[in-house]
Amino acid sequence: INAEYGGEQADSMADAEDSNGFEGPEKRLEINLRPVEGDSEGLRSLPREFWDRCMEALHGSILDHVAGVDFDAYIITESSLFVYPSQMIVLTCGTTTLLEMTPILLEGVRSKGYEVEWFQFSRKNYTFPESQRAMHVDFASEVEFLKDLDIHGEGYAIGPLTSDHYYFFFADNIVRPDGRNAPQETDQQLNICLLYTSDAADEEDSVDLGGRRIIKKKKKKK
C-alpha cells in the first residue's frame, strides 16, 4: 500500500490485504467517445484536478504523468491510467474501488458535451473476494452498480466458473450504418494474463500463480 493513501484509508486497505494476500489480477475500465469532427483534444482537455478526483474515488492517487504525442500516461498507486482524445483506460488491482470513479468520469465527459459510445469493465475472478470493498465483492454487485448509473449493458463470464475465468461487462452504443462496422472499430487489443511462472520465480519472496500475486511470509528464526 502506497504511503500516499494515508490515515484510516490506508489502514483499512492494508488490513484487508494482509489477512489473505495481495489481489494481483487487475480491474479494467475503458470508455470510448463518439467521434467529434475537428476536436483533437477530447478527454485530454480535462484538467489534472479532474483525474485526481477520479483516482481519489477508487482509493488511489497519481504518482507521475507523461504527456505523449497521442495520449497522456499516468502512473497511479495501483497501476496505470491512459487518456487519449476519444478513449480512456484505467487499470487497478488490490482492493481498489475502480467503479466508484464512474459517476465522476461520466459527469466530466458530459460536461464537455461528449457522448460515450462504448463502456467496458472487465476483470479476472478474484482470489480473495472477501477482501474486496463495497460493490466489488462479486460480479453481480458490480453489474448492478453500473446499471443503477443508467449504463445499459450486459455482463458475461468467459471460461469455466469452477476455475480461472474472466468477467466482462460492456455497453455498446456505437452507430453502425447499414449494420457494418464503424470506421473507429479498426483497433485490436491483446490482454495477457500470467498463468504460471518458472521454478526460479517460486524461490522468491512472492510469486505470481494463475494471474494472482501470493504473498509468502517468512518464518522468524527462534
Side-chain angles (χ1 to χ4, degrees):
I1 302 298
N2 190 282
E4 292 192 22
Y5 286 155
E8 295 181 0
Q9 187 180 79
D11 292 340
S12 62
M13 293 184 73
D15 289 344
E17 291 178 351
D18 287 346
S19 64
N20 290 304
F22 186 78
E23 191 73 65
E26 292 178 315
K27 308 177 184 81
R28 184 181 190 274
L29 179 63
E30 174 186 343
I31 64 167
N32 289 262
L33 303 184
R34 201 175 307 284
V36 178
E37 187 175 353
D39 185 354
S40 60
E41 287 297 312
L43 291 172
R44 299 185 73 181
S45 66
L46 292 167
R48 166 65 183 266
E49 292 75 16
F50 172 79
W51 299 113
D52 284 331
R53 284 179 58 212
C54 288
M55 297 304 102
E56 182 180 356
L58 61 80
H59 294 87
S61 59
I62 296 173
L63 302 179
D64 202 359
H65 167 232
V66 176
V69 175
D70 299 312
F71 65 94
D72 291 305
Y74 297 85
I75 298 176
I76 62 178
T77 43
E78 292 288 356
S79 197
S80 313
L81 165 67
F82 302 97
V83 181
Y84 298 78
S86 61
Q87 182 185 51
M88 182 231 63
I89 299 173
V90 59
L91 306 164
T92 67
C93 53
T95 56
T96 51
T97 53
L98 176 57
L99 292 183
E100 287 190 5
M101 69 170 277
T102 307
I104 301 172
L105 177 63
L106 295 180
E107 177 187 0
V109 167
R110 291 163 182 162
S111 71
K112 290 285 188 177
Y114 299 129
E115 295 180 79
V116 177
E117 68 170 10
W118 177 269
F119 182 99
Q120 174 185 323
F121 169 72
S122 56
R123 66 169 175 83
K124 185 184 174 296
N125 60 298
Y126 296 127
T127 306
F128 311 111
E130 67 279 2
S131 296
Q132 292 295 315
R133 300 153 63 94
M135 86 292 293
H136 285 295
V137 172
D138 57 62
F139 187 58
S141 299
E142 293 166 332
V143 171
E144 181 181 5
F145 177 83
L146 293 173
K147 290 194 172 187
D148 284 345
L149 295 176
D150 289 328
I151 300 175
H152 303 294
E154 295 297 337
Y156 302 88
I158 303 173
L161 295 180
T162 55
S163 183
D164 291 328
H165 53 277
Y166 202 75
Y167 290 114
F168 186 85
F169 173 93
F170 74 92
D172 183 354
N173 298 304
I174 298 175
V175 177
R176 299 177 176 86
D178 303 321
R180 294 175 294 181
N181 287 347
Q184 64 269 30
E185 293 184 277
T186 57
D187 64 319
Q188 297 182 2
Q189 297 179 1
L190 175 65
N191 295 324
I192 299 175
C193 179
L194 179 65
L195 293 179
Y196 301 103
T197 59
S198 67
D199 292 339
D202 293 348
E203 297 174 1
E204 299 298 327
D205 293 337
S206 60
V207 54
D208 287 321
L209 294 173
R212 305 177 289 271
R213 186 166 180 79
I214 307 301
I215 304 301
K216 294 181 177 179
K217 295 182 178 180
K218 292 184 177 180
K219 294 182 178 179
K220 294 182 180 180
K221 294 183 179 180
K222 295 182 179 180

